């Protein structure tokens, strides 16, 4: 299910965070937490959340600037959010998540590495969150923002 309003809201919040217009705390206030679109949840928790620390408030400028390769990856995430393509990567349900967490504790992270490897083999990891290069290239035909704006 594509939640256009939440995808647009998250895309705008990501752009503002990465360009240094808003702080990490302001970004978190803008994240649409009630969306049932799996793309919104996965892009936040599996992507954007790793871009910043939530221990203190700051903007991604100067000292905390993102490297160009990371900005290119973020631009791909935003491009995906602006499409109506469904999120096709595997999604763990509550029990699977619990078992993976517990299994990772017991195996000192081995279970998580196994799951990550299996997850990444479900599509073309180099173009995540797109499932494959063809869907990514299709989205590139109608870009919604200039990548240089990040």
């Amino acid at each position: 299910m594509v939640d256009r309003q939440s995808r647009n809201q998250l895309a705008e919040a990501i752009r503002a965070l990465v360009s240094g217009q808003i702080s990490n705390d302001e970004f978190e206030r803008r994240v649409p937490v009630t969306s049932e679109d799996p793309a919104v949840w996965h892009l936040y928790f599996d992507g954007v959340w790793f871009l910043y620390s939530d221990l203190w408030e700051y903007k991604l400028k100067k000292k905390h600037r993102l490297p160009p390769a990371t900005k290119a990856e973020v631009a791909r995430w935003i491009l995906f959010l602006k499409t109506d393509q469904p999120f096709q990567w595997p999604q763990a349900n509550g029990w699977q998540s619990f078992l993976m967490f517990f299994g990772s504790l017991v195996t000192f992270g081995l279970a998580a590495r196994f799951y990550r490897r299996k997850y990444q083999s479900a599509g073309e990891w180099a173009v995540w969150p797109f499932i494959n290069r063809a869907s990514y290239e299709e989205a590139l035909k109608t870009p919604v923002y200039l990548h240089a704006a990040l």
Side-chain angles (χ1 to χ4, degrees), residues 7-104:
R7 282 189 180 198
N8 287 344
Q9 185 178 343
L10 182 58
E12 292 300 321
I14 293 170
R15 288 185 80 224
L17 173 72
V18 172
S19 66
Q21 295 173 11
I22 62 172
S23 70
N24 55 329
D25 288 352
E26 177 61 28
F27 169 76
E28 288 186 348
R29 286 190 286 275
R30 293 183 184 190
V31 172
V33 294
T34 59
S35 178
E36 296 200 15
D37 186 338
V40 172
W41 190 90
H42 281 279
L43 280 159
Y44 175 67
F45 285 106
D46 296 340
V48 185
W49 194 54
F50 295 104
L51 296 179
Y52 62 92
S53 169
D54 54 2
L55 296 178
W56 67 91
E57 184 172 10
Y58 62 94
K59 292 184 178 182
L60 293 176
K61 283 187 168 181
K62 297 176 188 165
K63 180 180 175 184
H64 305 287
R65 187 169 292 152
L66 297 175
T70 303
K71 285 185 176 184
E73 186 173 351
V74 171
R76 192 176 61 246
W77 301 346
I78 293 169
L79 179 64
F80 180 83
L81 286 169
K82 294 306 245 175
T83 72
D84 287 328
Q85 293 183 25
F87 187 80
Q88 297 177 316
W89 290 85
Q91 299 170 51
N93 64 30
W95 279 106
Q96 290 169 329
S97 296
F98 173 76
L99 289 173
M100 185 177 61
F101 174 76
F102 183 72
S104 292

